[in-house]
Amino acid sequence: MKLLAETTGPFGLLDLSTGHTLNSVRPSVIPRSGFIDARIALGQIVKVADVPDDATDDEFEAFWKDSDGDRDLAVASFLSKFDPDAAKEPAAKAQRKGK
């Protein structure tokens, strides 16, 4: 299973067990792992949504660029690719420090 997730502050994280990174300025598509679960429990990562295993961070990055950095628009548009009804619901806002 993969997640669309983001850090709770202006920092990125590298999951050494999978080699995937969480971007410091936008949500990222990452595979779920023990490292990710531990960081969620520590409050360093917030899960935005579950996404299918075929979802990629490169795909989300394209939505991010198309939205000019509008987080909610990028998330809603990306999720609507997998579930058309997701675009009708507002994207969940993560509690981020500094926002």
Side-chain angles (χ1 to χ4, degrees):
M1 174 188 295
K2 288 188 177 179
L3 303 174
L4 180 62
E6 61 190 335
T7 61
T8 57
F11 57 89
L13 290 171
L14 170 62
D15 183 345
L16 293 175
S17 67
T18 66
H20 289 85
T21 60
L22 277 108
N23 194 292
S24 63
V25 296
R26 65 167 175 80
S28 302
V29 175
I30 53 169
R32 192 154 202 164
S33 69
F35 175 83
I36 298 302
D37 288 339
R39 296 299 178 241
I40 290 171
L42 290 170
Q44 295 177 336
I45 296 174
V46 174
K47 179 178 101 170
V48 176
D50 291 312
V51 294
D53 286 334
D54 62 343
T56 68
D57 192 54
D58 289 340
E59 289 174 316
F60 181 76
E61 184 177 25
F63 281 92
W64 182 262
K65 287 178 182 177
D66 288 346
S67 72
D68 291 325
D70 181 327
R71 179 196 177 280
D72 292 339
L73 177 60
V75 169
S77 298
F78 181 68
L79 295 178
S80 72
K81 176 181 175 180
F82 306 107
D83 179 6
D85 293 330
K88 297 175 186 173
E89 301 173 17
K93 292 185 179 182
Q95 297 297 321
R96 291 186 61 134
K97 294 179 184 176
K99 279 197 168 184

